[in-house]
Amino acid sequence: MNAVGMIVEYNPFHNGHLWHLNEAKRISGAQFAIGIMSGNFLQRGEPAIADKWSRAAMAVQAGVDLIIELPAVFSVRSAQYFAAGGIQLLSRLGIVSHVCFGTETPDLSLLASVANGLNNQGVIDRMRQQMKTGQTYAASLAAALSTESGIAASLIQTPNNLLAIEYLRAITAYAPQLKPLPIQRLGANYHDNQVTSTIASATAIRTALLENSTLSPNSMAWQSLPPACAKQINYLVSIGKVPVTLQAFSNMILAKLRTMDLDELTALPEVTEGLHNRISDAALKATTVQELLLYSKSKRYTLTRLQRIIIYALLGITKDKLTQFDLLGPLYARVLAFNRNGRTLLKEISNQATVPAITKTAHFLTSKQRQHSNLPPLQAMLAYDLVSTEIYVLGSPNDQWRSGGQDYQTSPHYIPD
């Protein structure tokens, strides 16, 4: 048995993802496909437009055999830690032979040379010097690589290339047995916000949904999704579960930040060099989360970084906790959805994996145990996933979906063939 792994968000699953899935199976020769998917909050510090179980079910309907949740303490992180968490989890399943990822530059040798360059002390030192001038991490890294290694700065200034490089670094560090398979990203660019063909970015599809409140079967946005996914999104809209947006959490975010003292803000991941003062001041001035981000943003502090920080605050994630989790890596494989092939995979995972598969939350963390602050690492990591859901559901358009405890009430979705 061999399986190809993918680290994904599926926000939502679209035709570009379907193409990636089919190519991953074709190039790897693998019979099965496993997705390690972000849960309710994503790598760019945003809530997913639909909940994790719904997105996982759509992916399995489209042909992914098994979807496993990437723990929240890795999914809402910068590229380095997001990639490390995903690669380690794929490795710990014990049955994955390849990992496939989309990129603007599918030249494996070139990407590998960049990944190796990131381990060069000269590059690291120059990058730190650049960051002191107020440049972002990505811009500083690009400049350092260009100067020290002669690598074109443009190579790492796209999100997918940057992630691809971090996947390669993580494979070298944690999972050298995994064979990397970069493939050319098809069609629309990552940040495109208009749907112009049947291959569109997830950003453009979400924009179309928010602008039109639903997806018309005659629209290009509808045609950019597998039919079952388009129908499911419209159903979720009709019952008030979708769309969930960052704006829905404005009051919660502002209340949280206004009541945190400066020491608590300093303890948040990615808060450095006086940023705690900037965020504190912005939270008092702002009346919406958009204003908060506007008042906090600068050349040094990107929108994505600031969004992640406010999600850390919302979920109660601190630097100290992440340091511990980064040393341990993902400690479980939480199943969100699977098909008949996925059932076969789960049986094999139970024999081969070095982490437990979780299908019933209460078997690993009860509601009473959650009340304790000094939890063992696995339970502490899992608790953040539960907190993520408890907060996420409060952003549902219809208040009937806002009740708590859904991680205990919702079983993994089985999608029959």
Side-chain angles (χ1 to χ4, degrees):
M1 173 183 290
N2 68 325
V4 60
M6 303 166 292
I7 302 167
V8 297
E9 292 190 322
Y10 293 156
N11 188 37
F13 191 100
H14 54 63
N15 288 342
H17 294 136
L18 181 60
W19 181 85
H20 175 222
L21 167 64
N22 292 333
E23 282 293 283
K25 285 185 172 180
R26 182 185 70 81
I27 296 170
S28 67
Q31 181 182 0
F32 305 103
I34 298 174
I36 302 297
M37 191 188 81
S38 299
N40 288 322
F41 289 93
L42 308 178
Q43 198 260 333
R44 290 178 58 81
E46 299 171 319
I49 200 163
D51 70 88
K52 59 189 179 185
W53 293 286
S54 296
R55 289 169 25 247
M58 284 187 268
V60 173
Q61 283 180 312
V64 183
D65 296 306
L66 174 64
I67 295 289
I68 290 172
E69 181 177 2
L70 180 63
V73 296
F74 296 101
S75 69
V76 189
R77 301 290 297 282
S78 61
Q80 176 184 351
Y81 300 102
F82 176 88
I87 292 296
Q88 287 180 88
L89 187 46
L90 281 173
S91 176
R92 292 175 183 187
L93 297 179
I95 62 170
V96 176
S97 56
H98 300 73
V99 57
C100 186
F101 44 88
T103 177
E104 286 81 10
T105 308
D107 185 331
L108 181 58
S109 61
L110 181 57
L111 293 172
S113 69
V114 178
N116 291 332
L118 292 181
N119 297 321
N120 181 305
Q121 191 59 46
V123 171
I124 294 170
D125 292 342
R126 186 169 290 275
M127 178 186 70
R128 288 171 177 166
Q129 292 174 6
Q130 292 290 129
M131 290 181 71
K132 290 179 180 178
T133 68
Q135 293 194 48
T136 65
Y137 170 82
S140 299
L141 180 56
L145 281 168
S146 178
T147 301
E148 296 291 324
S149 305
I151 296 169
S154 59
L155 186 66
I156 66 165
Q157 291 180 329
T158 57
N160 290 291
N161 275 358
L162 185 58
L163 266 176
I165 292 161
E166 293 297 348
Y167 290 143
L168 293 176
R169 292 182 72 198
I171 288 170
T172 298
Y174 304 111
Q177 81 281 7
L178 291 182
K179 183 175 181 180
L181 298 175
I183 61 173
Q184 178 75 48
R185 181 179 169 83
L186 185 66
N189 291 323
Y190 182 89
H191 292 299
D192 286 355
N193 57 16
Q194 294 294 320
V195 180
T196 57
S197 74
T198 57
I199 300 292
S201 71
T203 301
I205 295 167
R206 294 193 302 272
T207 299
L209 177 60
L210 292 170
E211 288 178 349
N212 300 294
S213 302
T214 189
L215 296 177
S216 167
N218 298 320
S219 68
M220 192 65 75
W222 175 285
Q223 295 171 33
S224 68
L225 299 162
C229 295
K231 291 176 183 176
Q232 182 65 10
I233 288 173
N234 272 1
Y235 170 71
L236 293 171
V237 169
S238 72
I239 63 174
K241 289 188 85 171
V242 168
V244 177
T245 66
L246 190 61
Q247 176 64 31
F249 301 92
S250 275
N251 288 344
M252 279 182 275
I253 290 167
L254 290 175
K256 183 70 174 180
L257 293 177
R258 288 180 183 181
T259 55
M260 294 177 74
D261 62 37
L262 291 179
D263 287 341
E264 290 173 315
L265 288 171
T266 302
L268 295 175
E270 300 192 56
V271 172
T272 57
E273 301 166 349
L275 181 54
H276 58 302
N277 289 310
R278 192 180 187 95
I279 292 173
S280 181
D281 292 343
L284 292 175
K285 287 189 347 184
T287 60
T288 65
V289 69
Q290 284 77 14
E291 288 184 355
L292 171 73
L293 294 168
L294 178 65
Y295 297 149
S296 303
K297 190 177 182 299
S298 70
K299 182 180 178 182
R300 174 173 294 182
Y301 307 126
T302 64
L303 183 63
T304 299
R305 178 177 174 181
L306 291 167
Q307 287 180 169
R308 283 198 297 266
I309 289 169
I310 63 177
I311 299 302
Y312 296 143
L314 203 55
L315 302 184
I317 296 175
T318 64
K319 291 173 184 172
D320 288 345
K321 285 292 186 182
L322 289 189
T323 297
Q324 178 191 32
F325 294 142
D326 290 341
L327 289 172
L328 296 170
L331 297 175
Y332 50 83
R334 189 148 184 245
V335 180
L336 295 178
F338 61 99
N339 58 18
R340 188 176 303 174
N341 284 340
R343 181 175 285 163
T344 300
L345 290 172
L346 287 171
K347 290 179 181 177
E348 193 67 19
I349 286 170
S350 69
N351 294 323
Q352 302 293 334
T354 58
V355 293
I358 296 180
T359 56
K360 290 187 180 296
T361 301
H363 288 177
F364 291 84
L365 180 65
T366 67
S367 56
K368 286 185 178 180
Q369 289 170 329
R370 278 186 63 193
Q371 307 306 314
H372 298 283
S373 58
N374 191 24
L375 294 171
L378 185 153
Q379 292 182 321
M381 187 179 291
L382 182 57
Y384 280 115
D385 296 344
L386 273 60
V387 168
S388 176
T389 301
E390 303 291 22
I391 292 173
Y392 177 84
V393 297
L394 294 172
S396 301
N398 189 326
D399 58 12
Q400 79 173 91
W401 304 109
R402 297 177 189 172
S403 60
Q406 294 189 22
D407 281 286
Y408 292 107
Q409 300 161 8
T410 309
S411 299
H413 288 6
Y414 173 63
I415 312 295
D417 296 340

